[in-house]
Structures are given as C-alpha cells and as structure tokens.
C-alpha cells in the first residue's frame, strides 16, 4: 500500500514518465497477487517449505523492484523539471514510510533539488541578460512599466522556490550525508 502511494500520481507528474512508474506498479501488484493466491494453507506446518519458497520469491522480487524504483528515482531527480515540484515530491515522500534502498535514496535527493534550483536561477539570469535592454513588452505597455513587469515576472519564477527552500530546507539539509561529514 505504501509503495503504491510512493509511486502515485505526484511522482508521475514530476518525472514525466508515467509508463515507467506504471511498470513498477504492475510488478508490485503482481508480487502481492502471487503471495495472496497461494493454493495451500500457509499455516499448515507440512507446507512450511512451500511457504518458504513463496516468501523467498517475494523477497527476491521486492529487492529487484526496490532497485528498479531507486534507479528510476535517481534518474528522475537528475532530469528534474522544476526544483519546486521536486521539493514538493520530496516532502510528500517524507510523509510516506519508505524504508530500505528507496528511503535512503529519497533522503539524499535534497542536493539534486539544489542543483536544479541553481540551473533555474542561471537560466533566469541568462534570460534577463539576453533581453534586459529590450525586454519583451505586453501590448500597449509603456516601455519602463513593461520592463518592470517583465523583470518582476522573472524574479517571481524563482522567488516561490527560494522562499520555500529558506523556510523548509534546514531540516532537509541536516539529513544530507554531507551535513554529517562536515559537522
């Protein structure tokens, strides 16, 4: 159940790869179905060896699915669409009890979010530098007022994420592996 919440619509939205997520969800569903559909009494001591095979298969598949999900999350955070969406996603993952490789992977993603936010700032700065002397103006907008509106719109692109990182990031930064190494 937690894995399905982890692999829900929010992850599909942020990563932009719903097919890969659906594939992992199907694998998880198949695992659960296989464990639930055993055709013997799992509490019968005579069938203990059969149950051990089912449990062993389940654990092996769980590890494979977990590795696959971890690799997908790693790849997805490397090609983030927006730092704000990724920070929202990371916050929602923290509310989901995830353990093992996925939990460790999620707890190390704050650095990737900061890298994405840095790219967004650089991109915004480049847009400003490129058009600062002739900013795109809305129709019938006076040049000075239009330039002010344009520059404010560029700033507002990054302000929300910046504010969020300033207010909510202290806890996430404390969990970063680098924070442990530095102090």
């Amino acid at each position: 159940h937690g894995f399905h919440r982890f692999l829900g619509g929010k992850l599909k939205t942020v990563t932009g790869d719903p097919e890969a997520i659906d594939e992992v969800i199907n694998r998880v569903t198949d695992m659960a179905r296989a464990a639930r559909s055993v055709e013997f009494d799992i509490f019968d001591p005579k069938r203990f060896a059969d149950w051990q095979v089912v449990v062993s298969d389940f654990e092996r598949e769980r590890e494979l699915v977990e590795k696959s999900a971890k690799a997908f999350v790693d790849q997805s955070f490397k090609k983030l669409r927006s730092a704000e969406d990724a920070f929202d996603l990371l916050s929602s993952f923290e509310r989901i009890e995830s353990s093992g490789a996925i939990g460790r992977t999620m707890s190390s993603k704050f650095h990737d979010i900061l890298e994405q936010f840095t790219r967004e700032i650089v991109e915004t700065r480049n847009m400003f530098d490129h058009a600062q002397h002739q900013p795109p103006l809305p129709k019938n907008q006076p040049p000075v007022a239009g330039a002010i509106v344009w520059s404010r719109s560029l700033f507002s692109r990054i302000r929300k994420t910046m504010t969020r990182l300033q207010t909510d990031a202290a806890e996430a930064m404390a969990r970063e592996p680098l924070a442990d190494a530095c102090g």
Side-chain angles (χ1 to χ4, degrees):
H1 187 61
F3 215 81
H4 284 275
R5 284 184 295 164
F6 174 81
L7 295 167
K10 203 161 204 159
L11 184 62
K12 290 179 182 181
T13 300
V14 172
T15 62
D17 194 354
E19 293 84 17
I21 295 170
D22 286 339
E23 182 181 320
V24 174
I25 288 172
N26 289 336
R27 287 176 70 183
V28 170
T29 302
D30 291 345
M31 286 171 49
R33 186 177 305 119
R36 276 189 241 122
S37 66
V38 294
E39 300 194 6
F40 56 85
D41 180 6
I42 64 171
F43 298 108
D44 183 354
K46 297 174 191 159
R47 305 303 298 260
F48 181 75
D50 295 332
W51 178 241
Q52 286 301 102
V53 169
V54 171
V55 170
S56 175
D57 289 346
F58 182 87
E59 282 299 314
R60 185 173 52 254
E61 186 64 20
R62 182 194 59 79
E63 287 176 12
L64 291 172
V65 167
E66 197 172 68
K67 285 179 184 177
S68 173
K70 178 188 176 300
F72 178 75
V73 167
D74 283 340
Q75 177 187 20
S76 298
F77 269 89
K78 291 295 181 195
K79 58 178 184 175
L80 293 174
R81 293 179 180 194
S82 98
E84 182 183 3
D85 285 346
F87 197 72
D88 287 342
L89 180 65
L90 184 61
S91 297
S92 71
F93 287 150
E94 289 170 355
R95 288 188 292 274
I96 298 171
E97 293 294 321
S98 59
S99 59
I102 293 174
R104 289 186 300 276
T105 298
M106 295 314 301
S107 69
S108 70
K109 290 300 155 197
F110 189 72
H111 184 267
D112 293 338
I113 293 171
L114 289 177
E115 286 179 354
Q116 173 63 24
F117 185 53
T118 300
R119 286 190 295 271
E120 291 173 18
I121 291 171
V122 168
E123 178 183 322
T124 303
R125 177 62 193 225
N126 289 340
M127 289 172 61
F128 178 80
D129 289 344
H130 178 72
Q132 71 178 341
H133 297 295
Q134 291 185 326
L137 301 176
K139 197 172 199 175
N140 300 324
Q141 184 84 38
V144 173
I148 292 170
V149 167
W150 173 74
S151 65
R152 284 185 176 177
S153 72
L154 291 177
F155 179 66
S156 70
R157 288 177 60 172
I158 60 172
R159 178 181 46 210
K160 186 174 180 183
T161 304
M162 183 172 28
T163 303
R164 176 104 186 264
L165 289 171
Q166 286 174 332
T167 58
D168 297 347
E171 182 180 321
M173 287 193 318
R175 285 189 309 273
E176 274 294 296
L178 185 57
D180 294 336
C182 292

